Amino acid sequence: MGHHPSEPWDVIVVGAGFAGLYMLHRLRKQGMRAIAFEKAPDVGGTWYWNRYPGARVDIESVEYCYSFSSALDEEWQWSEKYAPQPEILRYLNHVADKFDLRRDIQVNTGVTAAHFDEKANLWHVTTDRDAIPRVARAIVMATGCLSVPKDPDFPGIGRFRGKSFFTSRWPHEPVDFTGLDVAVIGTGSSAIQTIPEVARQARHLTVFQRTPNYSVPARNGQIPPEELELWKLNRARFRAEAAAAGFGIRHVQSEDRLLSQTPPAEAERIFEERWQHGGFGVLGGFSDIALDEKSNAIAADFLARKIRCIVKDPRTADLLTPKTYPVGTKRMCVDSDYYATFNRSNVSLVDVSQAQIEEITPDGVRTAAQDYRFDAIIFAIGFDAMTGALDRIDITGRGGRKLKDKWADGPKTYLGLSVSGFPNLFTVTGPGSPSVLSNMAPTIEHHVDWIARALADLVARRKTTMEAAPEAEEAWVAHVNEVAHMTLYPRANSWYMGANVPGKPRIFMPYIGGVPAYRAKCAEVAGNGYEGFILA
């Protein structure tokens, strides 16, 4: 690394997934000395850990990638419309090699603490690998939104005699379920991708569902050569179109058409056309589905009819149809043959909202209604989203205040980038930014570019620290919540609200005001000499 141990680093980056890799590259390009710590044995972040059967991206591959290097664009070609996990991981490894990033990444290294030293204006970062803390002028948390899996809290989990699997920590060698009786607990995105794959192997698959999710068909397949050619010729324009769209994805959302003012037959035709195309855009033909209850009910009815049409058993179809929250207020799932899988004779659905799981027994699962025997159990129970990774690191700022305590009633940030009282600490796609409500790849790039520029500006202005002003942070948190409550989103007990983790405060964490409005605000803040920040 060619670096004297006692001399502070300019920046320590925590994580080496999409965000950490690009952050390292950007800092290096502007002559800053940086090091990244990654707790996994290799780069890739989310795409390193989540290797479960059927794992793939839910945004089209051509859009879910970096845009900072035209050479990278030219030499990498995606094979499928929605790239599978191994391909995305190969891509991230390719990026690490192409830009020679590995020499500044220390893998198998978890960051356990980060303490701000007020006298010296330096961060002391402790890892589980090094006896002596590393010191840096700034720290960037590239820790990911979905990087901390929830631990199952069912009693008896250690007593199960069969094999237990977790979608978020899948083994690296192939798992064969042929001839086995298998349980999947959970019906979120990971489960919806896993279930069709396991059903093709297992002797019998039993799915335990508490809350059904809305899912739309991916219509995945190889990308037609003419489409790839179109992207090559129009890449810059297509990316600009994406950045100008609400979710940062092209063609997902029609900005101007209201469902409440569209004749029913016309609305049905638009829904059907988008259903046939597949992907997130199924509800995107109208701009009022997340705002207007009547429009939302029409969209929900369209999807409910689709489920009834695919799933042959009326009782199963009814159980798979969400009824307790407005459509679109939890992240939509994108699937390949999910609903059709329940037509298989070797698949059954158990509703645990009525008779909940009481314990994991040595032989399987016991609900309030009955005992089930299994050879294997797959836990697909989700993540401590948005704040989980930061909560697990002992982060203290000015006056010895812990981030965990500051966020006890819910996370407060300025722009999802900075936290008042924690100078020179930056969060990539933190709570209070569009993050999970957008295409993560360009959203990460936008944050990394903003942070890199801010750090360069700090040096140029001969300042040592920058941090969010408390009043700017309060105003931003109020704005994020105000915008969220103009929509139907807070009505769902979703992980956006922290509702999937017992005891976690209920606060709508991502910013729903749209990517263009958010980017404009970030540009304005920087352009006005970092308005809302204290530079010292």
Side-chain angles (χ1 to χ4, degrees):
M1 306 234 169
H3 170 253
H4 194 272
S6 63
E7 204 185 315
W9 293 91
D10 290 324
V11 186
I12 285 174
V13 180
V14 185
F18 258 99
L21 290 173
Y22 180 46
M23 192 78 239
L24 200 53
H25 177 65
R26 262 306 301 253
L27 292 167
R28 203 192 266 174
K29 261 177 71 173
Q30 58 193 43
M32 289 188 163
R33 291 183 5 273
I35 182 173
F37 296 126
E38 169 53 64
K39 68 172 186 269
D42 205 350
V43 302
T46 294
W47 296 106
Y48 176 86
W49 295 110
N50 288 270
R51 300 163 181 258
Y52 57 84
R56 62 178 68 248
V57 69
D58 57 6
I59 286 165
E60 295 192 21
S61 314
V62 287
E63 293 194 55
Y64 187 84
C65 52
Y66 292 120
S67 64
F68 67 84
S69 158
S70 51
L72 177 61
D73 284 337
E74 287 307 317
E75 68 195 20
W76 188 269
Q77 195 160 312
W78 296 104
S79 68
E80 294 180 39
K81 184 173 158 185
Y82 294 96
Q85 175 268 337
E87 191 172 358
I88 300 169
L89 189 55
R90 277 200 304 278
Y91 173 71
L92 291 170
N93 273 285
H94 172 72
V95 169
D97 293 332
K98 179 180 175 64
F99 299 101
D100 185 27
L101 300 175
R102 292 184 199 275
R103 63 186 159 92
D104 294 327
I105 301 170
Q106 194 172 306
V107 295
N108 288 314
T109 306
V111 170
T112 53
H115 297 161
F116 185 66
D117 170 356
E118 288 185 68
K119 289 193 184 69
N121 283 324
L122 293 170
W123 280 95
H124 292 254
V125 177
T126 312
T127 72
D128 54 14
R129 276 278 301 276
D130 304 300
I132 305 163
R134 303 294 187 90
V135 180
R137 293 188 180 88
I139 179 170
V140 176
M141 308 307 287
T143 43
C145 296
L146 296 174
S147 52
V148 173
K150 273 170 50 194
D151 292 322
D153 47 10
F154 306 111
I157 195 140
R159 302 192 355 248
F160 179 57
R161 285 194 289 255
K163 287 200 162 115
S164 297
F165 298 95
F166 297 83
T167 47
S168 49
R169 292 288 179 268
W170 201 260
H172 286 211
E173 50 289 333
V175 181
D176 187 7
F177 294 103
T178 306
L180 302 183
D181 289 329
V182 184
V184 170
I185 298 177
T187 48
S189 181
S190 303
I192 281 173
Q193 291 185 328
T194 304
I195 286 164
E197 300 286 332
V198 176
R200 287 195 263 275
Q201 293 182 354
R203 192 175 82 95
H204 196 91
L205 173 63
T206 306
V207 176
F208 291 89
Q209 169 186 277
R210 188 174 54 189
T211 311
N213 261 305
Y214 286 103
S215 192
V216 294
R219 314 265 181 232
N220 190 35
Q222 288 194 309
I223 308 174
E226 60 276 16
E227 251 179 65
L228 282 174
E229 198 49 41
L230 200 63
W231 257 91
K232 275 185 182 159
L233 297 172
N234 297 284
R235 213 174 247 125
R237 182 165 68 87
F238 286 174
R239 281 178 174 154
E241 285 172 13
F247 292 106
I249 312 167
R250 283 176 80 236
H251 299 331
V252 161
Q253 185 76 40
S254 149
E255 304 301 326
D256 47 9
R257 194 191 292 121
L258 298 174
L259 181 50
S260 59
Q261 290 168 16
T262 307
E266 169 74 353
E268 185 73 12
R269 185 188 63 74
I270 291 164
F271 276 129
E272 187 58 41
E273 212 169 78
R274 285 174 166 254
W275 175 269
Q276 294 308 330
H277 180 265
F280 274 141
V282 169
L283 298 185
F286 307 95
S287 57
D288 57 345
I289 289 174
L291 304 170
D292 176 67
E293 283 186 48
K294 285 198 176 109
S295 300
N296 193 281
I298 295 168
D301 176 63
F302 173 80
L303 291 176
R305 281 183 286 130
K306 284 293 180 195
I307 297 170
R308 286 201 297 275
C309 174
I310 299 167
V311 181
K312 297 194 173 84
D313 173 50
R315 192 182 153 275
T316 306
D318 187 56
L319 285 177
L320 287 166
T321 305
K323 302 178 184 67
T324 55
Y325 57 91
V327 62
T329 56
K330 289 186 171 201
R331 189 180 174 105
M332 277 285 225
C333 298
V334 178
D335 73 89
S336 296
D337 302 325
Y338 174 63
Y339 292 121
T341 297
F342 291 93
N343 294 330
R344 297 177 67 108
S345 58
N346 70 327
V347 175
S348 45
L349 180 65
V350 175
D351 173 21
V352 294
S353 67
Q354 300 306 312
Q356 61 185 21
I357 294 176
E358 291 187 340
E359 64 176 321
I360 305 295
T361 66
D363 293 320
V365 176
R366 172 174 297 147
T367 69
Q370 74 179 87
D371 271 338
Y372 299 84
R373 289 181 69 98
F374 297 110
D375 303 305
I377 301 176
I378 298 170
F379 294 92
I381 53 176
F383 297 88
D384 183 353
M386 307 287 293
T387 56
L390 298 172
D391 278 351
R392 277 161 179 71
I393 301 171
D394 173 27
I395 301 173
T396 57
R398 289 196 188 281
R401 187 166 194 206
K402 291 188 182 300
L403 184 67
K404 213 190 219 110
D405 296 340
K406 179 179 160 108
W407 283 5
D409 300 327
K412 291 184 169 182
T413 72
Y414 183 36
L415 303 173
L417 281 162
S418 171
V419 183
S420 84
F422 294 80
N424 292 3
L425 175 129
F426 298 93
T427 52
V428 180
T429 64
S433 72
S435 99
V436 290
L437 289 176
S438 66
N439 178 356
M440 285 301 283
T443 286
I444 283 168
E445 261 184 336
H446 169 250
H447 262 193
V448 168
D449 288 340
W450 194 96
I451 293 165
R453 182 187 153 185
L455 287 167
D457 284 351
L458 203 59
V459 174
R461 289 161 194 250
R462 302 213 163 93
K463 303 284 190 192
T464 319
T465 59
M466 69 182 285
E467 65 189 286
E471 58 280 11
E473 181 176 83
E474 286 299 329
W476 181 250
V477 170
H479 173 63
V480 168
N481 275 289
E482 185 188 356
V483 175
H485 286 281
M486 286 159 67
T487 73
L488 304 174
Y489 273 77
R491 298 202 190 176
N493 285 327
S494 68
W495 54 260
Y496 296 150
M497 296 286 292
N500 63 329
V501 176
K504 191 166 171 173
R506 298 290 174 96
I507 184 168
F508 192 77
M509 292 185 279
Y511 177 60
I512 202 171
V515 168
Y518 176 77
R519 287 189 173 204
K521 172 72 177 170
C522 289
E524 182 190 315
V525 163
N528 292 345
Y530 296 97
E531 190 179 355
F533 283 90
I534 301 162
L535 277 62

